């Protein structure tokens, strides 16, 4: 390179003499021109090396991106190929779940319908039980106040009141009538001797208060009929003879009244017991069917969750396939569009590598052109460049065989802009 510097300076000096002889124009070479050559060569090599290196890196990065994109395209194609059968299987599984869901829904609807009918039946039976019970209570309500009044009247009696009745050896008619009715209700012989024995019993009043009024036989009622039908058999009338017997009269009348009403109520109570038994049976069956419905509904709910999960997975899978297909389409278009660029970029990298290898010679001659040949005309410049190329080849300095100053230092875009603005090519 040092020898080339000297040769270039000498060749320019010789060309200056020829230039003067042929065109009568002076061109002077000075030490400054020599120094300018060295400075230009140093700075231009540094700049050009960075430029070539940067451009090469960009092109290599672009090539790597293309290779990476091609790899991604291959992976997406593999993924798409794998997702296809998976989607088909998922669609099939989802449809099977939907069919099972429909079948189980029919079963659940059938069980629910039966349960609703049983519920209606149970509600109707409960309503009937309430009506029967209300009707029976209504009937008994008529006799209950009488019984309560009679019992309260009995509770007012004491031993002295009972003794008052017992003192009679030959009791008045109404006292005898009342005690005969009491004896009949106690299933005893209706005479005065028996009456006095009952009155002597310390538990006599208690037995009347706790009397089993729900189980009075028809025979007893027939025997009592002639007493209660007696127009004089009234508490007020009896009270004129014996105040104590008045309470016993009230008790007898209340018992008879209650017994008559109870005979009306008894069938209703039997109906109520039957209705309650039927209601319990219906409610038991209803409970079993409700348990069965709950089990079917739980199974249906679980199946619904499975179906929704499977449907969501199918939709996600379908969306992934759509997204992958769209990305694959865009990537394929990109790689197809850049396939020619790949070849061109590879060629450019090779050319840039060659330029980097011949950088010293190319920049050296370019710097010489800038430093020395500006004053010469085109023919002289061309002659100098050919001479310098020959010297580089002879001295082993790497340089392009088809060296041009524009090719080394020019930028195609800027050159086209200059041409567009009217400068010669």
């Amino acid at each position: 390179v040092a020898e080339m510097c000297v040769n270039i300076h000498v060749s320019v000096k010789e060309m200056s003499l020829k230039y003067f002889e042929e065109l009568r124009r002076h061109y002077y070479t000075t030490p400054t021109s020599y120094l300018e050559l060295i400075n230009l060569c140093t700075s231009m090599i540094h700049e050009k090396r960075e430029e070539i290196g940067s451009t090469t890196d960009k092109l290599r990065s672009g090539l790597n991106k293309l290779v990476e994109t091609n790899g991604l395209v291959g992976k997406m194609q593999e993924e798409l190929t794998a997702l296809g059968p998976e989607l088909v299987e998922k669609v099939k599984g989802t449809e099977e779940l939907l069919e099972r869901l429909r079948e189980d829904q029919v079963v659940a609807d059938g069980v629910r319908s039966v349960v609703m009918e049983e519920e209606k039946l149970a509600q109707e039976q409960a309503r009937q039980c309430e009506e029967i019970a209300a009707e029976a209570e209504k009937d008994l309500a008529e006799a209950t106040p009488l019984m309560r009044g009679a019992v309260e009247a009995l509770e007012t009696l004491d031993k002295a009141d009972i003794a008052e009745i017992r003192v009679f050896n030959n009791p008045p008619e109404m006292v005898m009538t009342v005690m005969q009715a009491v004896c009949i209700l106690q299933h005893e012989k209706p005479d005065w001797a028996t009456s006095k024995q009952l009155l002597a019993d310390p538990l006599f009043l208690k037995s009347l208060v706790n009397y089993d009024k729900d189980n009075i036989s028809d025979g007893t009622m027939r025997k009592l009929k002639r007493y209660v039908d007696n127009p004089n058999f009234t508490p007020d009338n009896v009270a004129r003879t014996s105040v104590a017997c008045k309470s016993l009269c009230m008790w007898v009348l209340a018992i008879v009244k209650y017994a008559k009403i109870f005979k009306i109520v008894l069938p209703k109570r039997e109906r109520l017991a039957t209705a309650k038994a039927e209601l319990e049976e219906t409610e038991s069956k209803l409970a079993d069917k409700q348990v069965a419905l709950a089990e079917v509904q739980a199974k249906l709910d679980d199946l619904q969750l499975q179906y929704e999960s499977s449907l969501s997975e199918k939709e996600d899978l379908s969306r992934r396939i759509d997204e992958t297909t769209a990305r694959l389409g865009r990537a394929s278009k990109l790689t197809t569009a850049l396939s020619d660029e790949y070849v061109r970029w590879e060629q450019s990298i090779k050319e840039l590598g060659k330029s980097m290898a011949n950088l010293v010679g190319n920049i050296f001659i370019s710097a010489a052109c800038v430093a020395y040949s500006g004053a010469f005309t085109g023919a002289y410049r061309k002659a100098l460049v050919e001479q310098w190329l020959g010297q580089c080849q002879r001295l082993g300095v790497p340089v392009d065989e088809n060296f041009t100053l524009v090719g080394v230092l020019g930028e195609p875009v800027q050159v086209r802009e200059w041409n567009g603005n009217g400068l010669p090519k």
Side-chain angles (χ1 to χ4, degrees):
V1 173
E3 186 175 348
M4 276 296 301
C5 290
V6 175
N7 291 339
I8 286 174
H9 192 76
V10 172
S11 65
V12 171
K13 193 171 184 178
E14 292 174 352
M15 187 62 70
S16 299
L17 295 174
K18 183 179 178 181
Y19 188 57
F20 177 75
E21 290 174 358
E22 292 178 356
L23 299 180
R24 310 307 294 176
R25 295 181 183 178
H26 289 286
Y27 178 73
Y28 302 100
T29 56
T30 63
T32 302
S33 301
Y34 185 79
L35 293 175
E36 184 179 357
L37 168 63
I38 295 175
N39 290 333
L40 275 173
C41 185
T42 303
S43 62
M44 289 172 66
I45 284 177
H46 178 71
E47 292 176 2
K48 200 66 177 177
R49 182 177 286 119
E50 287 188 351
E51 178 186 336
I52 293 174
S54 175
T55 303
T56 302
D57 290 342
K58 290 178 181 178
L59 288 172
R60 282 189 179 135
S61 176
L63 288 176
N64 290 336
K65 289 294 181 183
L66 284 177
V67 171
E68 183 180 342
T69 302
N70 288 331
L72 288 174
V73 169
K75 288 182 179 179
M76 283 190 287
Q77 287 174 335
E78 292 176 1
E79 182 181 356
L80 198 59
T81 302
L83 287 176
E86 187 177 347
L87 178 61
V88 172
E89 187 66 25
K90 185 60 68 175
V91 169
K92 181 181 178 182
T94 303
E95 289 176 350
E96 290 176 354
L97 280 174
L98 180 59
E99 185 61 30
R100 285 175 54 196
L101 186 62
R102 287 172 178 165
E103 293 174 357
D104 288 359
Q105 184 66 58
V106 172
V107 174
D109 290 343
V111 175
R112 187 178 291 107
S113 177
V114 172
V115 169
M116 290 176 66
E117 291 297 325
E118 292 286 344
E119 287 176 346
K120 289 180 181 178
L121 178 60
Q123 291 171 357
E124 178 61 24
Q125 289 179 340
R127 186 188 64 78
Q128 291 177 0
C129 287
E130 291 175 358
E131 288 181 354
I132 296 171
E135 187 177 348
E137 290 299 324
K138 180 181 178 182
D139 292 339
L140 287 175
E142 184 178 349
T144 300
L146 294 175
M147 282 302 306
R148 188 181 302 114
V151 170
E152 290 174 356
L154 289 175
E155 290 174 348
T156 63
L157 298 177
D158 55 19
K159 292 182 180 180
D161 296 322
I162 299 301
E164 175 191 331
I165 302 172
R166 287 178 60 201
V167 297
F168 292 114
N169 290 322
N170 187 17
E173 179 184 358
M174 294 312 300
V175 172
M176 186 64 197
T177 301
V178 170
M179 288 308 300
Q180 285 177 339
V182 171
C183 287
I184 291 172
L185 286 169
Q186 294 286 6
H187 307 293
E188 300 289 348
K189 185 177 180 181
D191 57 21
W192 183 244
T194 304
S195 298
K196 292 183 73 173
Q197 290 177 2
L198 290 176
L199 292 169
D201 186 353
L203 299 177
F204 172 65
L205 291 177
K206 188 175 182 180
S207 68
L208 298 184
V209 172
N210 298 325
Y211 189 76
D212 185 10
K213 56 186 178 297
D214 291 343
N215 294 297
I216 300 174
S217 66
D218 293 339
T220 301
M221 290 297 294
R222 284 194 295 270
K223 291 177 182 178
L224 288 172
K225 189 174 186 309
R226 72 184 185 89
Y227 295 98
V228 296
D229 288 347
N230 185 348
N232 294 322
F233 196 83
T234 63
D236 293 337
N237 195 29
V238 172
R240 296 190 186 99
T241 304
S242 172
V243 175
C245 273
K246 173 185 176 182
S247 297
L248 295 176
C249 178
M250 290 174 60
W251 179 79
V252 171
L253 290 173
I255 288 292
V256 172
K257 178 70 173 179
Y258 180 87
K260 289 180 179 179
I261 294 175
F262 189 76
K263 286 192 177 297
I264 299 173
V265 171
L266 184 60
K268 296 180 181 179
R269 283 192 169 183
E270 292 174 352
R271 283 171 52 206
L272 178 60
T274 303
K276 284 184 176 180
E278 292 176 353
L279 177 59
E280 289 178 359
E281 183 180 358
T282 300
E283 288 178 340
S284 177
K285 292 179 180 178
L286 175 60
D288 293 340
K289 288 182 173 61
Q290 286 174 334
V291 170
L293 176 60
E295 292 175 353
V296 171
Q297 188 62 49
K299 181 181 178 183
L300 189 64
D301 292 342
D302 182 63
L303 199 59
Q304 180 69 35
L305 290 176
Q306 292 181 36
Y307 171 72
E308 291 175 356
S309 176
S310 179
L311 185 62
S312 177
E313 291 176 2
K314 181 184 79 70
E315 290 174 351
D316 289 342
L317 195 59
S318 180
R319 183 167 55 253
R320 283 177 58 194
I321 289 177
D322 292 341
E323 291 175 354
T324 303
T325 302
R327 289 174 57 199
L328 182 60
R330 292 192 296 269
S332 298
K333 289 180 181 178
L334 179 63
T335 53
T336 301
L338 294 178
S339 59
D340 293 338
E341 291 296 313
Y342 185 89
V343 175
R344 188 176 68 81
W345 290 350
E346 276 192 327
Q347 184 62 34
S348 297
I349 289 175
K350 291 179 181 178
E351 292 175 357
L352 287 171
K354 184 178 178 182
S355 296
M356 183 65 79
N358 297 335
L359 180 65
V360 174
N362 291 340
I363 294 301
F364 192 81
I365 295 176
S366 299
C369 290
V370 173
Y372 289 106
S373 65
F376 293 107
T377 59
Y380 291 89
R381 293 176 186 173
K382 183 178 180 181
L384 283 172
V385 169
E386 290 176 353
Q387 186 179 350
W388 294 340
L389 285 173
Q391 290 175 355
C392 284
Q393 292 170 357
R394 188 177 64 258
L395 294 174
V397 177
V399 66
D400 290 344
E401 294 180 0
N402 300 319
F403 171 86
T404 63
L405 183 62
V406 174
V408 175
L409 300 182
E411 295 182 6
V413 176
Q414 192 174 33
V415 170
R416 284 196 298 271
E417 183 179 350
W418 290 343
N419 296 149
N421 291 332
L423 291 177
K425 294 184 180 180

